Amino acid sequence: MRVIGLMSGTSYDAIDAAAAELDLVGDSLVLKPLGAVSEPYDEELREALAAALPPGTTTLGEVCRLDARIGQAFAATAVRADRELCEGRAELVASHGQTVYHWVAGTEVHGTLQLGQPAWIAEVTGLPVVADFRPRDIAAGGQGAPLVSLVDLLWLRGRPGRPVALNIGGIANLTAPDGTAFDTGPGCALIDAAARGFSGGAPAYDTDGVLAARGRVHGPLLDRFLQEPYYALPAPKTTGKELFHLGHLRDALAGFETLTAEDVVATLTMLTARTVADAVGSVGATEVVASGGGTRNPVLMAMLADLLRGVPLRTSDDLGLPSDAKEAYAFAVLGFLTLHGLPGTDPACTGARHPSVLGSVTPGRDGLRLPPRAALQPTRLLLE
């Protein structure tokens, strides 16, 4: 089955689409990557989305408009992916949508909201769409994240030692082979907030780590950031820009107003590297396989490699999955599992009471014809 996975992460800069040929062979799920494309949000939509996210305020009218406009943007990206990657022969779209709120109280998650109305995708592509992946796991007592953890477990199974999958997006998360999975804290969220805040809106992020490379890590400021209680919470735990946003940054900078932008960004880059390295150490990793936009920041990756103290750090590209598109591929897998009646979660990863078949399905132009329920839950993911 040819599946298109759509994803926009907590950096909300672009919609990533990855296409894959997926087949169940015994207890293995075989994935043949067909390629990936990325479509930036137009500036007006990105600004509207940024304004609606915490610590900003919004209205139900604006939420409605964003839901439709993000859905339309996802639909356009799906059409492009079908045309360029699938020769117009895609059979399913799996859309994560755009997370705008993750309702967390301590270590409990009570709800989550992803915008990007899937009806727009189904209408334009004519294909069935699986969307709203996270709420079912939350209803079963889980965190609703990191949902890519099941894919990571299947993919890295059989590698020697204790390989850990790490994703560095706006928020960073990891998955260990025993099923321990959690958000480590900010990936690029605070770095991006600082880059925008000091520049008045542009650039939106620290391209190639240029600002961090020019600055020096400020120890007292780093210590203040590390006092954030989230880091001490036990797994499973999840977070988002409801916590790690510009307001969080401004509060921490009180009394440090004389620091240069470069020093602040260098300190925030070290914060991400330090909290990720601490999390990796807590699960006894012998190898780290990283993906996400943060892997394109050479200063961040160098800091992290140094803090890992000899634990090998590589990107998912080395193992056959493009790091920029890995999460889009993961949601293609989750959509495929849903359509075949198979759970898309491991309770050890999310803390749920049981595995769940995820998401809701929007029928395509020809209605909905579900394939027969698969006889076996796959135990490994093989790349072809």
Side-chain angles (χ1 to χ4, degrees), residues 46-111:
R46 191 177 192 280
E47 289 178 0
L49 176 58
L53 293 175
T57 58
T58 189
T59 65
L60 286 177
E62 185 60 16
V63 170
C64 180
R65 285 187 286 272
L66 284 170
D67 192 33
R69 293 176 64 196
I70 293 171
Q72 292 160 2
F74 270 66
T77 305
V79 168
R80 178 186 169 194
D82 188 20
R83 180 181 66 250
E84 296 182 12
L85 307 176
C86 300
E87 300 176 337
R89 295 190 289 124
E91 299 165 78
L92 175 69
V93 178
S95 175
H96 171 269
Q98 178 67 64
T99 297
V100 293
Y101 197 81
H102 198 60
W103 179 15
V104 183
T107 58
E108 293 187 17
V109 177
H110 300 289

Side-chain angles (χ1 to χ4, degrees), residues 137-280:
D137 183 72
I138 292 171
Q143 296 279 314
L147 283 190
V148 298
S149 55
L150 175 68
V151 178
D152 289 332
L153 290 177
L154 299 179
W155 177 44
L156 297 181
R157 183 161 289 154
R159 288 187 67 80
R162 287 180 58 80
V164 164
L166 168 69
N167 184 73
I168 310 175
I171 302 297
N173 62 70
L174 64 74
T175 304
D178 63 357
T180 301
F182 57 95
D183 290 340
T184 65
C188 300
L190 295 180
I191 300 170
D192 294 349
R196 284 194 300 273
F198 281 112
S199 67
Y205 49 89
D206 184 15
T207 305
D208 297 326
V210 170
L211 291 174
R214 294 174 181 164
R216 298 180 63 181
V217 174
H218 190 272
L221 178 59
L222 177 62
D223 290 342
R224 178 176 290 182
F225 278 117
L226 289 170
Q227 292 172 12
E228 165 55 47
Y230 177 80
Y231 303 124
L233 293 175
K237 59 180 179 178
T238 52
T239 188
K241 287 191 172 179
E242 301 77 28
L243 173 58
F244 295 111
H245 52 57
L246 184 58
H248 180 92
L249 172 61
R250 286 173 173 161
D251 289 345
L253 285 175
F256 295 103
E257 289 85 358
T258 60
L259 289 179
T260 67
E262 290 82 0
D263 287 353
V264 172
V265 172
T267 303
L268 292 170
T269 304
M270 178 58 79
L271 173 68
T272 294
R274 169 76 177 274
T275 51
V276 168
D278 287 350
V280 168

